[in-house]
């Protein structure tokens, strides 16, 4: 986890109350990182697509507020801000209990320019109402251009919101904000790791295949997508399979295979070697392995 001096925008207004002070005191924090991942989908020209933005490694302390931007290829994809919907992990009960929600929704999406969506969620309530679980933060629905060529890959990236670090600073924001305000007036901001997504334009004859027991199947620990390598794509697929099993789970349209799920099962509550099925703990352990915090899976 890292600390920063200020969170601004809707998040600042809602959880940090920095209307007087431009800089909030720095809080001491442990080394914790939230993984924000965007799914990868396929759709034909002129068709609709849906991708999930998922959070993994959410600390037990919880998230009181977060803001980031989605940058996408507007020459290929059309996305209306109204078609970005809050996901299951934001349903904390805060929307019904937070008095600020009467004037402004806790989950907000704006499109300041073509190809950009600014997304934030925050609450003024205590930690009972904070985000404390991994899963789908939001779902983005859009349309592929009718003139898009088959095989085109349109990127969907998570980036910092384009703004000043605080009003009048003249300094551009470079951080994806995700954290909480402390009772003593200090603030804590988690580290954020990002896995970007995409929409690939399919042709009429395109066929998506999954590995089978008779093909080139990897049994490597942590290799959830069976590409013979352990990378950030593996914890991303695990979290997508958990959050949206109809699409990414075993038997889903873009789903993980049975072998991939076995490969993913690297952690449990006892010996931490797996055996309890695929869970968010597996994704977190793979992330720690990739970050160098542990030497083996």
């Amino acid at each position: 986890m890292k600390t920063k001096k200020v969170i601004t925008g809707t998040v600042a207004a809602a959880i940090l109350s920095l209307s007087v002070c431009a800089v909030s005191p720095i809080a001491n924090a442990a080394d914790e990182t939230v993984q924000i991942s965007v799914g990868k989908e396929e759709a034909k020209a002129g068709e609709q697509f849906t991708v999930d933005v998922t959070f993994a490694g959410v600390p037990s302390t919880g998230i009181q507020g977060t803001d980031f931007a989605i940058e996408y290829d507007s020459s290929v994809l059309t996305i209306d801000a109204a078609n970005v919907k809050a996901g299951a992990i934001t349903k904390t009960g805060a929307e019904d209990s937070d008095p600020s929600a009467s004037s402004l929704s806790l989950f907000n999406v704006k499109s300041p320019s073509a190809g950009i969506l600014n997304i934030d969620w925050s609450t003024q309530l205590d930690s009972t109402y904070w985000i404390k679980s991994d899963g789908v933060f939001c779902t983005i629905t859009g349309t592929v251009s009718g003139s898009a060529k088959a095989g085109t890959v349109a990127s969907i990236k998570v980036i910092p919101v384009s703004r000043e670090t605080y009003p009048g600073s003249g300094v551009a924001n470079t951080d994806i904000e995700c954290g909480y305000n402390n009772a003593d007036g200090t603030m804590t901001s988690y580290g954020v790791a990002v896995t970007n997504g995409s929409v690939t334009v399919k042709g009429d004859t395109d066929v998506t295949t999954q590995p089978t027991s008779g093909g080139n199947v990897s049994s490597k620990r942590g290799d959830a997508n069976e590409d013979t390598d352990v990378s950030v794509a593996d914890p991303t697929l695990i979290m997508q399979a958990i959050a949206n099993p109809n699409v990414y789970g075993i038997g889903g349209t873009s789903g993980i295979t049975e072998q991939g799920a076995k490969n993913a099962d690297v952690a449990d509550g006892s010996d931490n070697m797996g055996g309890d099925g695929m869970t968010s703990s597996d994704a977190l352990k793979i992330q720690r392995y990739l970050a160098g915090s542990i030497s083996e899976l």
Side-chain angles (χ1 to χ4, degrees):
M1 184 189 297
K2 55 185 177 179
T3 58
K4 306 188 187 72
K5 293 185 178 180
V6 66
I7 292 179
T8 58
T10 303
V11 177
I15 70 173
L16 298 181
S17 302
L18 299 178
S19 58
V20 178
C21 297
V23 179
S24 178
I26 299 175
N28 294 324
D31 184 17
E32 295 181 282
T33 299
V34 176
Q35 176 78 39
I36 303 179
S37 303
V38 184
K40 293 184 178 182
E41 289 295 334
E42 297 181 340
K44 294 180 180 180
E47 288 188 345
Q48 192 176 80
F49 67 87
T50 298
V51 295
D52 291 330
V53 178
T54 58
F55 280 24
V58 175
S60 58
T61 314
I63 298 170
Q64 188 180 14
T66 181
D67 81 334
F68 56 89
I70 294 289
E71 180 183 62
Y72 62 93
D73 187 344
S74 59
S75 68
V76 179
L77 308 178
T78 298
I79 303 174
D80 191 306
N83 292 326
V84 181
K85 304 298 183 182
I89 65 172
T90 70
K91 309 303 182 181
T92 65
E95 194 74 38
D96 296 327
S97 303
D98 192 329
S100 66
S102 61
S103 58
L104 182 66
S105 173
L106 305 186
F107 178 80
N108 294 281
V109 184
K110 296 181 180 179
S111 181
S113 60
I116 296 292
L117 298 165
N118 290 344
I119 302 174
D120 65 69
W121 180 91
S122 62
T123 178
Q124 294 180 353
L125 298 177
D126 63 47
S127 61
T128 305
Y129 297 93
W130 298 359
I131 294 173
K132 292 188 175 180
S133 61
D134 296 348
V136 177
F137 175 78
C138 67
T139 298
I140 300 172
T141 300
T143 305
V144 178
S145 169
S147 61
K149 295 182 179 180
T152 300
V153 179
S155 63
I156 304 178
K157 300 179 179 179
V158 178
I159 63 172
V161 174
S162 177
R163 53 171 166 74
E164 293 180 308
T165 52
Y166 60 86
S169 71
V171 179
N173 172 57
T174 59
D175 295 313
I176 294 170
E177 303 294 2
C178 185
Y180 60 91
N181 198 35
N182 299 291
D184 62 0
T186 62
M187 59 145 293
T188 298
S189 187
Y190 300 122
V192 174
V194 167
T195 299
N196 295 316
S198 62
V199 175
T200 300
V201 183
K202 296 170 58 178
D204 290 334
T205 59
D206 289 346
V207 178
T208 301
T209 59
Q210 295 289 335
T212 65
S213 58
N216 182 24
V217 178
S218 168
S219 58
K220 187 175 184 178
R221 284 178 63 81
D223 186 14
N225 64 1
E226 298 177 82
D227 65 353
T228 72
D229 186 32
V230 178
S231 68
V232 292
D234 297 303
T236 299
L237 178 57
I238 292 169
M239 292 310 304
Q240 289 172 332
I242 293 170
N244 193 350
N246 290 335
V247 176
Y248 298 105
I250 296 174
T253 55
S254 299
I256 193 171
T257 67
E258 291 186 7
Q259 181 62 51
K262 290 179 181 179
N263 297 348
D265 185 12
V266 296
D268 61 47
S270 56
D271 60 7
N272 209 34
M273 293 301 292
D276 62 343
M278 184 175 64
T279 68
S280 59
S281 294
D282 300 312
L284 182 58
K285 184 177 180 181
I286 295 171
Q287 289 171 355
R288 292 175 59 208
Y289 170 75
L290 294 171
S293 300
I294 56 177
S295 59
E296 61 181 2
L297 291 172

